[in-house]
Amino acid sequence: MKKLLIVGNWKMNLNTQEASLLVHRLHQHIKTHRDIEVVLAPSLLTLQPISMEIDRRRFGLASQNAYFVDEGAYTGEVSFNMLRELVDYSIIGHSERRRYFQETLEVVRDKVAAAVRNGITPILCVGETSPERAAGETQRVIHDQLTTALHNLTPEEAANVVVAYEPVWAIGTGDPEKPDDIKKVISWIRHILSELYGETQAGEQRVLYGASVAPEFVRDILKNTGVDGFLVGGASLNYQQFAGIVDSAYAALHEGSDHD
Ligand code: PGA
């Protein structure tokens, strides 16, 4: 059975001391479950100290970004190669990077390939903006983002990529997309994957939802949309909220059964 994946994207928040405090609280409040994998994505600055403070059996680590060339004269950048063994995952193609840092479809594709080449699992973000949604372009946008990003991978490499569907218009609003609509897009993503790699692989591939995830929405989204977990922004900065998301996910997974 696929494990549920819950990723906390701290974005450009928390200095070293604040990050350390949050990790301490997460250790106290997040329960470990065999069927839920919890991953933290601190800033690049705090990745290294956090890696020494966390219990790696309880929390995985992700970078929020990295550069696609392995080394060289690229002032200010950090490569996936430098993150090898430090992180398990890397968030790639987040809408904030596409928007504020002009990351094109091709840059995202090269970053996905660089992560894979360096043994890091990409968490590939796809999703439509508000104007794209209004223009009925959601399917096309997601198709282009997904197929370009996976283009240089073998089917075996692509199988390992985690896809995160993030409707850009719902990020940071406190109001997630409705489960019925999430379900349609998740099915579309699996449809694209099945055209590329066959139905079995498409069914096994991990697809997450992200945008305004909070404990009160977890059950509904998990039960009704076919997602395999969540990419959490704002709520991952608050240990009670983040622990609440993990608890609600666990409760939803085990509803109607009495095993731990
Ligand atoms: P949010 O962010 O949970 O604050 O909406 C999600 C994301 O951008 O990954």
Side-chain angles (χ1 to χ4, degrees):
M1 205 188 85
K2 275 188 277 188
K3 271 192 183 187
L4 217 61
L5 179 59
I6 300 179
V7 184
N9 175 12
W10 295 355
K11 306 194 179 181
M12 198 177 71
N13 294 294
L14 309 181
N15 62 27
T16 312
Q17 207 183 345
E18 292 161 342
S20 170
L21 191 62
L22 179 57
V23 160
H24 179 71
R25 296 223 160 104
L26 292 174
H27 272 116
Q28 289 175 321
H29 291 270
I30 294 206
K31 294 183 199 78
T32 308
H33 302 293
R34 243 176 310 144
D35 40 15
I36 303 182
E37 182 180 356
V38 180
V39 172
L40 309 174
S43 74
L44 268 177
L45 176 70
T46 56
L47 258 179
Q48 184 98 48
I50 292 297
S51 77
M52 292 184 283
E53 286 172 29
I54 58 170
D55 179 347
R56 295 297 290 261
R57 288 163 306 182
R58 293 183 60 188
F59 299 108
L61 270 186
S63 74
Q64 299 174 18
N65 181 37
Y67 194 53
F68 55 79
V69 178
D70 283 348
E71 61 178 7
Y74 298 93
T75 302
E77 290 299 301
V78 168
S79 69
F80 289 99
N81 186 257
M82 291 168 165
L83 296 173
R84 282 181 94 101
E85 272 129 53
L86 183 59
V87 300
D88 313 284
Y89 294 90
S90 185
I91 299 171
I92 299 177
H94 191 282
S95 57
E96 288 150 16
R97 297 222 49 93
R98 295 184 196 258
R99 177 170 174 207
Y100 301 125
F101 303 98
Q102 291 77 43
E103 288 196 7
T104 61
L105 296 177
E106 290 71 27
V107 167
V108 172
R109 175 197 64 200
D110 291 349
K111 289 190 172 189
V112 166
V116 169
R117 180 170 79 236
N118 284 293
I120 296 168
T121 301
I123 299 172
L124 167 66
C125 301
V126 299
E128 80 286 6
T129 62
S130 178
E132 287 163 348
R133 181 178 169 87
E137 291 189 335
T138 301
Q139 289 200 340
R140 182 195 58 76
V141 167
I142 287 174
H143 181 271
D144 291 354
Q145 291 175 338
L146 197 53
T147 53
T148 310
L150 299 176
H151 192 258
N152 290 346
L153 304 186
T154 64
E156 294 72 32
E157 289 169 340
N160 196 34
V161 172
V162 177
V163 180
Y165 167 50
E166 297 212 303
V168 180
W169 50 272
I171 291 176
T173 61
D175 204 4
E177 186 170 17
K178 299 281 166 284
D180 280 354
D181 294 332
I182 298 175
K183 184 180 180 178
K184 284 188 201 134
V185 182
I186 301 295
S187 309
W188 175 242
I189 289 170
R190 292 207 197 276
H191 170 75
I192 298 166
L193 294 171
S194 78
E195 300 252 285
L196 292 171
Y197 310 114
E199 244 174 76
T200 312
Q201 181 160 324
E204 283 167 3
Q205 193 133 5
R206 288 178 293 177
V207 184
L208 313 182
Y209 168 81
S212 296
V213 174
E216 62 269 33
F217 305 119
V218 161
R219 181 188 176 279
D220 249 21
I221 299 176
L222 216 47
K223 286 273 171 194
N224 299 310
T225 63
V227 298
D228 303 305
F230 299 103
L231 180 52
V232 185
S236 72
L237 294 169
N238 176 306
Y239 70 92
Q240 281 160 324
Q241 287 269 311
F242 198 51
I245 288 170
V246 175
D247 286 345
S248 308
Y250 180 77
L253 274 184
H254 294 280
E255 234 167 55
S257 72
D258 53 9
H259 56 103
D260 284 354

